[in-house]
Amino acid sequence: MGKYKEIIQKINQTPNIYKFEKMSKSKVDEDLICGDIPQDYKEFLMEVGFGSVPDGYFMFYGGLIEADEIYDATDNLEIKKVLLFGDNFSGDAVGFL
């Protein structure tokens, strides 16, 4: 366990409410071939994984989604440059440029 030790401990203390699945290095390398993906994000997927935080607070995707798949890019062409990695179940997503 590296920099995500505390998060992993929390998940392991209550695995029935944290639904996370780790990704193998080969899967991360295979799925995240687009653009310049931050190394921290790759490490997070391998060490912590993807899944949801209890009570619908946040969902970490099992890969990146192009923002224009969710949001209308008609009036904002910059959105086509954004890759999303999660959302709060209320229409607010986070991602990388």
Side-chain angles (χ1 to χ4, degrees):
M1 284 187 258
K3 64 181 105 185
Y4 303 109
K5 180 180 175 184
E6 291 178 18
I7 296 170
I8 294 168
Q9 286 176 338
K10 180 75 171 172
I11 291 169
N12 290 338
Q13 287 172 355
T14 52
N16 56 324
I17 62 171
Y18 288 94
K19 308 296 183 198
F20 276 79
E21 183 178 333
K22 294 179 185 179
M23 290 180 77
S24 67
K25 181 174 180 356
S26 62
K27 184 72 171 156
V28 167
D29 290 342
E30 176 185 321
D31 287 357
L32 301 178
I33 58 173
C34 56
D36 189 20
I37 308 303
Q39 186 61 32
D40 284 348
Y41 175 64
K42 293 177 182 180
E43 291 171 3
F44 184 88
L45 287 175
M46 291 183 288
E47 293 181 37
V48 178
F50 63 93
S52 61
V53 177
D55 298 326
Y57 286 116
F58 198 82
M59 164 69 82
F60 291 94
Y61 306 148
L64 298 171
I65 298 173
E66 294 177 353
D68 63 342
E69 288 185 32
I70 297 174
Y71 300 105
D72 183 11
T74 305
D75 294 329
N76 185 357
L77 297 178
E78 292 293 309
I79 203 143
K80 291 181 180 252
K81 298 178 183 178
V82 178
L83 296 172
L84 305 175
F85 65 83
D87 68 63
N88 66 356
F89 297 104
S90 296
D92 302 316
V94 293
F96 307 113
L97 276 174

